[in-house]
Amino acid sequence: MTKTARTFAFAARSLVRQPGRASVGILGIAAVGALLFDMLLLSRGLIVSFRDLLDSVGFDVRILATDSPILGGARIARVTPLVRQLAGLPEIAEVVPLRLVDAETAAPRDGSQTAAGPGSVAFSLLAMDPARHAWTVVAGRDLAARVAELEVLINRRLAGLLKASPGDTISIRVACAADRAALPPMNVRVSGIADFPFDDATQQTAVAPWRAVTSLCGLVDDAADLVLIASREGYGPDAAVSAIRRLRPDLRAATNEEVVTRMQQQGFSYFRQISTVLSTITMVFGFLLITVLLTVSVNQRLGEIAALRALGFSRARLAADVLWQSALLVGTGGFLALPLGAALSVWLDAILRQMPGIPASLHFFVYEPRALAVHVGLLVATAVLAALYPMRLVAALPIAATLRSEIVG
Amino acid sequence: MIVARGLSKTFPMPAGPVHAVRDVSIGIDAGEYVAIRGPSGCGKSTLLHILGCVDTPTSGTLTFDGRPVESLPDAERSRLRLLSIGFVFQRFFLLPMLTAAENVEVPQSEAGAPRADRRRRTAELLDYVGLAHRADHRPAQLSGGEAQRVAIARALANRPRVLLADEPTGELDRATGEQIAGLLDRVHVDGTAVVVVTHDPAIAERAKRELLMRDGRLA
């Protein structure tokens, strides 16, 4: 048995034979470790989830009229010729303009029966041609490239409110601009029901082909809120962005990575800051817990420690025993913290995702191997730091004076 | 084996320095049985601690088998104590979370003895001190005399050259103290040098050489 193995076995036996002290330490570290793990998941969770969300749509470059990442601001004018120009660039494989308009269901003017019923329901209508993985059809069929009548795909929530099924007809009225009154209602057919990745739990959304919506809004309003770009294989998103910037320096093109970075620096930095503060607090708490436990234990066993020194245990050997005890307490607690933290993160994630405006597929707590590595690293640091003071007590213990004082005491 | 020359130990105290050991010279030969007797506070435990390499003298020299002890680094002094010196304390200082057998195994394990050898030696030692039937008992389940016998077994675990006992009967009644003294006699007879510090003349008389200490000096 090596010296390290002997020291480890001795420390493990000391802990096992003192179950009360060991349990307090392990459970304490499990609790703070679970919080630490959750804070690590939170620190980058939103970013990772947001990046996954952007990537899931299948486009790697986005073009906006301004630097604002929020849709509904300034629009990209004269988008039809822009789409033609962009499609001609060798770096670009696909160009899909997107327009977001306010809409509501309405009673049809001709008195015909629709699924909408008498009340109106407001919803967001996306003007966008079927492309890549922008949505997932869960019932009925996707929008057809060319059909005679106007079709929409609606999300589950809107379908539920309207009690509409694929094949039903609903009457809708759209408002194409804030300063423009709603246009007359018209009947549209529901081709299917779909999940939209950016929808939140309370959102009503529908999508209709680009040309159909621009026709509704009037041919003069040839504007898009956003243009989605898929870069051509072999070029990549950075080359596509450079080409777009050369062609139209007035527009704001950004790769998904750049959008994520921008969000990280702006809206999502709060979570990172909160996570840093809470992680630090949990680490300090864990450090104090283990330091106090080990220090109390050392102070209760001064006579035994001095006797062991007299029997031939070196300073380094007994200091290593304290370090191993710290490592075992923190290691066992930290291991238990993982399932505890994972369960807690699911619960906390569900609470946070109830906030309005959060896409249903966005998560605040996201597991990454990096989070686990940082968790382990921080716990190792905690174990070492927590052991320093009691190790010093053990190493500096005067053998003869301690034995004398124990006898006198 | 142990040669001390001109040992002195002074403790600085707020009321002025306390001279616990003054200019003591002593030699302990292999297999010897020495008792150091004297009243409480005369410095006999301090002298024993210096002879056992757990304390350092303020002045003087100490050699163990010709090696000057003062110049040894902590790891080597610890190794010397582990392999060559056995300690028996007044308060036993057994590890409460370990059984009697495990307490006896601890120094052997630290010395790197293989598991099978440790088990064999531990059984042999517990039998030697008459506690084979108490091997699996914790210190709290043992009487004072039994605990001290386990402590003696622990001190002998690595076959030391010398056994140092500091008031080994100080916490025991007369009859139990006699048993412990008898056990120390046996250790000496079996070839290990024994140095026992005591204030009890009856215990000291059993040694082959009795040293009287007073005010830090050997009389």
Side-chain angles (χ1 to χ4, degrees):
Chain A
M1 203 184 223
T2 64
K3 204 169 184 176
T4 306
R6 283 201 304 273
T7 311
F8 175 81
F10 191 75
R13 195 159 50 176
S14 297
L15 288 179
V16 168
R17 298 288 171 83
Q18 298 174 81
R21 179 171 71 99
S23 300
V24 168
I26 288 169
L27 291 177
I29 289 296
V32 297
L35 283 176
L36 175 66
F37 188 52
D38 282 354
M39 290 307 108
L40 293 172
L41 298 184
L42 178 65
S43 69
R44 283 174 44 87
L46 214 46
I47 294 297
V48 173
S49 185
F50 186 62
R51 178 184 295 130
D52 290 346
L53 189 59
L54 291 179
D55 292 344
S56 71
V57 181
F59 298 93
D60 50 12
V61 175
R62 281 156 171 74
I63 304 175
L64 287 158
T66 66
D67 283 327
S68 168
I70 308 299
L71 292 184
R75 288 185 169 134
I76 302 167
R78 294 174 51 75
V79 74
T80 304
L82 173 67
V83 167
R84 269 198 303 273
Q85 285 178 308
L86 292 173
L89 292 173
E91 294 88 351
I92 290 174
E94 189 173 353
V95 184
V96 177
L98 182 148
R99 172 81 179 260
L100 186 66
V101 298
D102 293 330
E104 61 180 17
T105 58
R109 282 194 307 180
D110 60 4
S112 60
Q113 194 63 37
T114 69
S120 71
V121 176
F123 61 96
S124 302
L125 179 63
L126 292 173
M128 181 178 174
D129 288 328
R132 298 192 176 241
H133 320 290
W135 52 76
T136 307
V137 177
V138 294
R141 61 166 176 77
D142 203 351
L143 296 173
R146 292 175 187 278
V147 287
E149 64 180 321
L150 184 55
E151 283 187 338
V152 291
L153 268 175
I154 59 177
N155 73 354
R156 292 191 217 219
R157 182 170 165 79
L158 185 56
L161 287 172
L162 300 178
K163 295 183 175 60
S165 304
D168 287 349
T169 300
I170 57 175
S171 181
I172 64 169
R173 182 188 286 130
V174 298
C176 296
D179 59 347
R180 191 181 294 183
L183 295 168
M186 66 178 301
N187 288 344
V188 296
R189 208 170 77 86
V190 177
S191 72
I193 297 169
D195 286 337
F196 297 90
F198 285 90
D199 276 358
D200 68 44
T202 60
Q203 200 163 333
Q204 289 102 238
T205 306
V207 62
W210 170 263
R211 191 167 296 280
V213 178
T214 50
S215 299
L216 279 175
C217 292
L219 288 172
V220 289
D221 193 11
D222 182 25
D225 288 295
L226 171 72
V227 177
L228 296 167
I229 303 286
S231 64
R232 193 177 298 282
E233 208 173 322
Y235 285 94
D238 292 327
V241 165
S242 298
I244 295 164
R245 284 175 185 160
R246 279 196 300 274
L247 180 72
R248 288 290 301 270
D250 57 313
L251 297 177
R252 298 291 177 266
T255 63
N256 286 357
E257 204 55 47
E258 288 171 338
V259 173
V260 168
T261 304
R262 205 175 298 158
M263 291 303 282
Q264 199 168 358
Q265 289 163 351
Q266 296 167 2
F268 295 168
S269 65
Y270 300 116
F271 290 99
R272 205 173 59 242
Q273 288 169 30
I274 288 169
S275 158
T276 304
V277 169
L278 292 180
S279 299
T280 307
I281 290 171
T282 55
M283 270 190 66
V284 168
F285 186 79
F287 159 77
L288 289 176
L289 175 71
I290 298 302
T291 298
V292 167
L293 275 178
L294 292 176
T295 303
V296 168
S297 170
V298 165
N299 281 325
Q300 283 175 339
R301 300 187 303 126
L302 289 178
E304 287 168 33
I305 293 165
L308 285 172
R309 291 276 287 121
L311 288 171
F313 281 60
S314 66
R315 278 195 190 102
R317 164 67 178 79
L318 288 174
D321 177 54
V322 174
L323 182 60
W324 271 119
Q325 286 195 36
S326 179
L328 281 167
L329 288 173
V330 175
T332 311
F335 181 74
L336 291 178
L338 295 177
L340 195 63
L344 190 62
S345 72
V346 171
W347 182 47
L348 292 174
D349 196 55
I351 293 172
L352 285 173
R353 287 173 62 202
Q354 287 171 3
M355 284 197 298
I358 301 296
S361 51
L362 198 67
H363 292 273
F364 290 80
F365 296 82
V366 177
Y367 171 76
E368 288 182 290
R370 178 184 175 278
L372 182 60
V374 174
H375 177 76
V376 171
L378 289 176
L379 288 182
V380 167
T382 303
V384 172
L385 290 174
L388 285 180
Y389 178 65
M391 279 168 74
R392 186 179 164 277
L393 283 182
V394 167
L397 189 71
I399 311 172
T402 307
L403 290 172
R404 241 188 334 265
S405 67
E406 288 285 316
I407 301 295
V408 172
Chain B
M1 182 175 56
I2 300 175
V3 177
R5 293 203 189 286
L7 292 183
S8 292
K9 180 72 180 180
T10 303
F11 296 106
M13 295 289 179
V18 173
H19 302 286
V21 176
R22 299 165 190 254
D23 194 25
V24 170
S25 296
I26 184 175
I28 311 291
D29 292 333
E32 223 188 340
Y33 192 174
V34 179
I36 303 172
R37 188 165 68 84
S40 292
C42 72
K44 53 190 188 300
S45 288
T46 302
L47 176 60
L48 190 78
H49 289 152
I50 294 171
L51 295 177
C53 308
V54 298
D55 206 353
T56 50
T58 310
S59 62
T61 60
L62 178 74
T63 60
F64 195 103
D65 281 342
R67 294 170 70 195
V69 172
E70 306 92 82
S71 59
L72 295 178
D74 180 69
E76 281 189 48
R77 283 164 71 99
S78 299
R79 194 80 187 154
L80 175 68
R81 290 196 298 269
L82 181 68
L83 299 177
S84 303
I85 301 171
F87 256 103
V88 175
F89 311 98
Q90 183 177 341
R91 286 212 170 156
F92 329 134
F93 290 127
L94 297 176
L95 300 183
M97 71 281 192
L98 303 183
T99 64
E102 288 168 340
N103 267 287
V104 178
E105 271 196 49
V106 162
Q108 301 173 68
S109 174
E110 186 58 17
R115 191 185 180 87
D117 291 357
R118 292 200 312 258
R119 291 283 160 86
R120 193 169 48 248
R121 176 72 177 151
T122 299
E124 181 186 303
L125 283 168
L126 287 175
D127 188 50
Y128 184 78
V129 299
L131 287 174
H133 62 295
R134 305 285 259 164
D136 296 327
H137 288 76
R138 302 265 180 97
Q141 298 167 308
L142 302 174
S143 68
E146 287 173 328
Q148 192 61 297
R149 281 192 275 163
V150 172
I152 291 171
R154 178 180 65 178
L156 296 172
N158 288 328
R159 295 185 172 83
R161 309 267 320 275
V162 59
L163 181 73
L164 305 179
D166 187 5
E167 299 280 9
T169 61
E171 300 265 315
L172 306 173
D173 59 58
R174 184 135 208 101
T176 312
E178 282 290 320
Q179 287 176 10
I180 295 300
L183 188 56
L184 294 177
D185 294 348
R186 199 173 150 200
V187 170
H188 160 65
V189 169
D190 289 340
T192 306
V194 175
V195 179
V196 59
V197 157
T198 181
H199 63 270
D200 185 348
I203 302 294
E205 279 167 9
R206 306 173 80 116
K208 305 300 176 199
R209 183 156 62 116
E210 185 179 344
L211 303 171
L212 193 63
M213 204 165 174
R214 182 162 293 133
D215 295 331
R217 296 181 196 278
L218 287 177

